[in-house]
Amino acid sequence: MKYAWIEDYCLFKKGVEKEYKAEWEALLYKVGGKMFVMQGQDNEGRSIITVKLEPPYGEFLRNEYDDIRPGYYMNKLHWNSVDLNGSVSDDLLKTMLDQSYELVLHSLTKKAQNEIQSS
């Protein structure tokens, strides 16, 4: 796989847990029990990773990159899927993963955020 570093990158972040969801045939990376990354396949069998982004940024990326599309099987406004066999740079994908993590982390209660950040 082109982005073999994804698992290590996600799990390095504070409070992240990995889970396999059999019915989706996908790996989920969660912080505080909430998903910030889904890695699996779309309905055409393409390997994808789906992340949450601020809507204007997600729309901008979808307009700039053919390999970034509205989130597969997710809310199309907030979630974006990246073709893992595509040409998105490692740096851009890391930025997307970072932003997804931060968005989900900041959606948690202040207490939960503090517990995760102090661990």
Side-chain angles (χ1 to χ4, degrees), residues 9 51-71 75-82 88-103:
Y9 193 79
V51 297
K52 188 172 191 175
L53 298 172
E54 290 288 349
Y57 185 56
E59 183 177 3
F60 168 77
L61 292 176
R62 291 192 301 267
N63 289 331
E64 292 294 311
Y65 297 90
D66 291 336
D67 294 322
I68 300 176
R69 295 178 293 282
N75 178 306
K76 309 289 188 238
L77 181 63
H78 297 279
W79 292 87
N80 299 271
S81 292
V82 178
V88 172
S89 72
D90 286 9
D91 286 342
L92 177 56
L93 186 53
K94 286 178 182 178
T95 297
M96 294 172 75
L97 292 169
D98 292 343
Q99 289 187 12
S100 186
Y101 173 82
E102 291 295 325
L103 276 171

Side-chain angles (χ1 to χ4, degrees), residues 22-69:
E23 57 268 27
W24 293 358
E25 296 181 6
L27 288 173
L28 309 180
Y29 295 91
K30 297 180 172 185
V31 59
K34 290 187 167 189
M35 180 179 74
F36 74 99
V37 173
M38 179 184 73
Q39 185 176 350
Q41 293 186 333
D42 65 12
N43 60 347
E44 296 176 17
R46 289 183 293 224
S47 294
I48 59 168
I49 192 165
T50 301
V51 297
K52 188 172 191 175
L53 298 172
E54 290 288 349
Y57 185 56
E59 183 177 3
F60 168 77
L61 292 176
R62 291 192 301 267
N63 289 331
E64 292 294 311
Y65 297 90
D66 291 336
D67 294 322
I68 300 176
R69 295 178 293 282

